[in-house]
Amino acid sequence: MPKPSWVFKILTILSLFHLSQAQTTPSCSEVDRAALIGFKARIFKDTSGILSSWVGKDCCSGDWVGIQCDAVTGRVTGVVLQGSSGNNALYMKGIISPTLGELKLLKVLVISGMKKLSGVIPSSFSGLIHLQQLVLEDNSLKGTIPVGLGQLKSLQTLSLSGNYLTGPLPQTLGNLKNLLQINLARNSLSGTLKFPNLGSLEYLDLSYNMLSGTIPTVLGLQSNMTFLDLSNNRFSGQIPDSLCNLKNLVDLSLSNNLLTGQVPARIGQLKSLSTLSLGFNMLVGQIPDSVSNLQNLWQLNVSRNQLSGPLSGVLSKGIPSLLSIDLSYNKFNLGSVPKWITSRQLSDVHLAGCNLKGVLPIFTKPESLISIDFSDNHFTGGISGFLKKMSSLQKLKISNNQLRVNLSQMVLPNGLGFLDLHSNQLFGSLSGVLSKGGFLEYIDLSSNQISGNIPSTITNLGNLKRFDISRNRVTGTIPPSLGSLSKLGWLDISSNLIGGKIPVSLLVIKQLGHVNFRANKLCGEIPQGRPLNVFPSAAYAHNLCLCGKPLPPCKQG
């Protein structure tokens, strides 16, 4: 489920926009300047370059990057320091100085994306009684959430996501009646959720923590709630029926928990709902008929539960906005893909482990499909017609079926990036699949009956990160051109009939984190250098005459 971090950025921008400044702004308060210099002193490395602008006596001159001041009083009202992501990430290394608690008129405090900013959240922040936004996300902060934050009665946004915070949620947060958004996702918070009635709350994200116990029924009283994500925790018990009272709810994710019982029958009352994710729980019973009332629902995920029963009277009735559906790994016995799925304009269809049989279905609107997962079923054929006109397909998983098809005659969509057909009865050569090039990043054709050699055209797959053709009947040698695949991180050609030497060119692939050449007819010295000579000996075992580290040394002469 998407996490709209842009919400916080927009609110920050709007808040700062109203901090209008006159043509001449008085010099900043000496107390405020000292507080900022105190913060700068606790930062030992700043690759963002922001703090290098914090020089001179006037922090309100406009030259101090990230600092906003009141146009009349010259007091600091905004501190906005944001790092960046990616390989060239900008960050600060150090701790957050308690001196920031001396900025008594501060309304906005944003220190996010600084990666290596560690230490605890200063307890002195409890004195920032005018604070409206506190955003300390995507840093490396530790410790607990200070109970003193419950004194910030003006607070509207609290985001501490993407840190290493531990302990329970302070009950004092219940004092913050003006809170609109709480984002504490991606931490290590624990304990039960004792949630107060915060009448203004619109956004709550507690995902990716270690919270346990039952989901509080009081959450159903948050009448303004539009976003609720409690996924990837340890919540147990039933889904509270009271959640069905949240008429404004747009996104609901309770996936990856320990929830039991049935999906509430009144779920169809959530008329604004666009995404519903209940996967990876222990839910039983049928999908309620009322789901067909969710006219705005575009994503439905109930995978990996114990749901059962017919679907003909549920989903086929309506849901005109549905684009993505995942019913995988329940107790459904579909037999064939329902027509209400094959006849719709869908982007994602995941029906793994649904006891599907026969030939693959033909979709009437194949050009809209982006991701398909039919793994762990009983399909026997029809893949050629199945793939026709799937011009947008990016991900295809039909592993562990009984597909019998000549691989060399398969025509793959040009934009396909992920191909998993392992554990079928595919035969023929790899030439057709590996000559396409394009966007393929992931290929798993293991446990089939593929023959022929690895064609040199594999070099066309410049984006390839994972290549697995283990447990087949592939012959020939390993093409030296394989070394040109600089992004390759996983290579498994074990249990085939491949001979010759392991090419020295593979030493160039620095991303290679896993290799397996086991059980082939390879011979000669293993190229001596990283990464090849640091993998375990099992990766090279049961070949014709491989030698050299990590195997015994080659015989001289």
Side-chain angles (χ1 to χ4, degrees):
M1 182 176 292
K3 305 295 188 295
S5 59
W6 50 266
V7 174
F8 305 112
K9 294 180 175 61
I10 288 177
L11 283 178
T12 299
I13 293 170
L14 289 176
S15 178
L16 295 177
F17 178 79
H18 291 293
L19 302 177
S20 57
Q21 294 176 290
Q23 293 295 322
T24 56
T25 302
S27 298
C28 70
S29 158
E30 181 57 35
V31 173
D32 290 355
R33 181 183 179 278
L36 295 173
I37 293 299
F39 172 81
K40 181 178 179 179
R42 306 299 289 271
I43 303 300
F44 312 116
K45 187 175 183 179
D46 176 23
T47 66
S48 71
I50 292 174
L51 299 183
S52 63
S53 69
W54 289 16
V55 293
K57 292 186 177 181
D58 189 3
C59 62
C60 293
S61 64
D63 295 331
W64 287 42
V65 175
I67 304 303
Q68 295 284 336
C69 298
D70 184 87
V72 177
T73 65
R75 298 300 301 269
V76 173
T77 56
V79 176
V80 181
L81 311 176
Q82 294 181 301
S84 62
S85 58
N87 295 330
N88 298 317
L90 303 179
Y91 63 86
M92 292 181 183
K93 186 174 184 179
I95 65 172
I96 298 179
S97 173
T99 60
L100 290 183
E102 298 301 316
L103 301 173
K104 297 302 184 182
L105 295 184
L106 197 64
K107 295 182 179 180
V108 177
L109 176 56
V110 178
I111 307 176
S112 66
M114 289 303 178
K115 308 298 187 297
K116 298 184 180 182
L117 193 64
S118 57
V120 300
I121 300 172
S123 58
S124 63
F125 283 7
S126 61
L128 301 174
I129 59 174
H130 297 286
L131 201 63
Q132 297 175 8
Q133 297 186 52
L134 177 59
V135 180
L136 305 175
E137 59 190 16
D138 296 320
N139 296 300
S140 294
L141 302 177
K142 300 178 181 179
T144 59
I145 300 174
V147 295
L149 295 186
Q151 300 178 35
L152 307 181
K153 299 297 181 63
S154 300
L155 203 62
Q156 298 176 9
T157 296
L158 174 63
S159 179
L160 309 175
S161 64
N163 285 286
Y164 300 96
L165 300 173
T166 56
L169 271 67
Q171 294 189 40
T172 55
L173 295 183
N175 300 329
L176 306 179
K177 301 302 182 182
N178 292 311
L179 266 179
L180 300 176
Q181 305 180 37
I182 300 177
N183 187 352
L184 306 177
R186 295 177 288 116
N187 280 287
S188 297
L189 301 172
S190 58
T192 57
L193 184 57
K194 298 178 181 178
F195 207 81
N197 181 11
L198 299 174
S200 301
L201 196 64
E202 299 175 357
Y203 182 106
L204 177 62
D205 190 349
L206 302 177
S207 62
Y208 291 94
N209 280 287
M210 297 184 291
L211 299 168
S212 58
T214 58
I215 298 174
T217 57
V218 72
L219 284 177
L221 298 177
Q222 314 301 313
S223 57
N224 294 323
M225 186 88 74
T226 61
F227 184 98
L228 176 60
D229 191 347
L230 304 179
S231 65
N232 295 277
N233 279 284
R234 299 172 181 173
F235 289 114
S236 56
Q238 298 189 4
I239 300 173
D241 180 74
S242 63
L243 296 186
C244 300
N245 297 327
L246 301 177
K247 301 296 178 61
N248 296 312
L249 198 62
V250 175
D251 297 283
L252 174 61
S253 180
L254 306 176
S255 59
N256 284 277
N257 279 289
L258 303 171
L259 299 173
T260 55
Q262 299 186 1
V263 180
R266 295 196 302 129
I267 197 77
Q269 294 187 14
L270 301 177
K271 297 298 179 63
S272 300
L273 208 62
S274 65
T275 64
L276 175 60
S277 182
L278 305 176
F280 286 86
N281 281 289
M282 296 181 286
L283 301 172
V284 298
Q286 300 183 15
I287 298 176
D289 286 348
S290 67
V291 168
S292 60
N293 297 329
L294 302 177
Q295 299 295 296
N296 296 307
L297 192 70
W298 68 267
Q299 181 183 25
L300 174 64
N301 185 344
V302 295
S303 63
R304 296 185 185 272
N305 281 284
Q306 300 174 32
L307 299 171
S308 59
L311 299 176
S312 56
V314 183
L315 300 173
S316 58
K317 291 181 179 179
I319 320 186
S321 301
L322 193 64
L323 292 176
S324 175
I325 185 167
D326 193 344
L327 307 177
S328 302
Y329 302 113
N330 280 281
K331 293 185 177 180
F332 298 125
N333 188 10
L334 298 184
S336 60
V337 180
K339 287 187 177 180
W340 59 265
I341 290 181
T342 58
S343 62
R344 304 182 70 136
Q345 187 168 327
L346 300 174
S347 61
D348 306 289
V349 178
H350 294 179
L351 301 177
C354 285
N355 201 20
L356 298 167
K357 303 174 182 178
V359 297
L360 290 163
I362 300 299
F363 285 85
T364 57
K365 300 178 180 179
E367 63 281 350
S368 65
L369 288 162
I370 295 175
S371 176
I372 295 173
D373 187 356
F374 286 165
S375 301
D376 298 297
N377 282 295
H378 309 284
F379 286 116
T380 55
I383 195 167
S384 297
F386 175 74
L387 292 175
K388 282 183 178 179
K389 298 182 180 180
M390 289 191 180
S391 54
S392 301
L393 194 65
Q394 299 174 14
K395 185 174 183 177
L396 178 63
K397 290 185 67 177
I398 318 181
S399 60
N400 198 24
N401 278 268
Q402 290 98 47
L403 291 176
R404 182 164 178 80
V405 63
N406 189 334
L407 192 63
S408 60
Q409 297 178 359
M410 279 185 57
V411 178
L412 300 177
N414 290 329
L416 194 67
F418 186 106
L419 177 64
D420 186 356
L421 299 176
H422 81 264
S423 301
N424 278 285
Q425 300 174 29
L426 306 179
F427 61 94
S429 69
L430 293 164
S431 57
V433 172
L434 301 186
S435 63
K436 282 291 184 181
F439 300 99
L440 267 172
E441 296 183 357
Y442 183 112
I443 298 176
D444 189 347
L445 301 173
S446 61
S447 298
N448 280 287
Q449 301 166 20
I450 300 168
S451 57
N453 58 11
I454 302 173
S456 59
T457 51
I458 192 173
T459 57
N460 295 336
L461 304 179
N463 293 316
L464 195 61
K465 297 178 181 178
R466 183 179 179 118
F467 184 53
D468 191 342
I469 54 169
S470 60
R471 298 180 298 283
N472 277 286
R473 301 172 184 173
V474 179
T475 56
T477 60
I478 304 172
S481 56
L482 197 67
S484 66
L485 301 179
S486 59
K487 297 180 181 179
L488 196 64
W490 180 289
L491 174 63
D492 193 339
I493 62 171
S494 62
S495 300
N496 279 287
L497 303 169
I498 299 171
K501 294 183 176 183
I502 298 176
V504 178
S505 60
L506 297 186
L507 292 175
V508 179
I509 310 177
K510 301 304 180 183
Q511 302 289 336
L512 209 54
H514 172 91
V515 298
N516 194 347
F517 300 103
R518 181 184 178 90
N520 277 287
K521 295 183 177 182
L522 296 167
C523 195
E525 183 177 19
I526 297 169
Q528 293 302 293
R530 290 179 177 271
L532 294 184
N533 64 356
V534 298
F535 292 116
S537 58
Y540 301 95
H542 302 292
N543 273 284
L544 195 59
C545 51
L546 282 179
C547 57
K549 189 179 179 180
L551 297 181
C554 298
K555 295 179 180 180
Q556 299 299 322

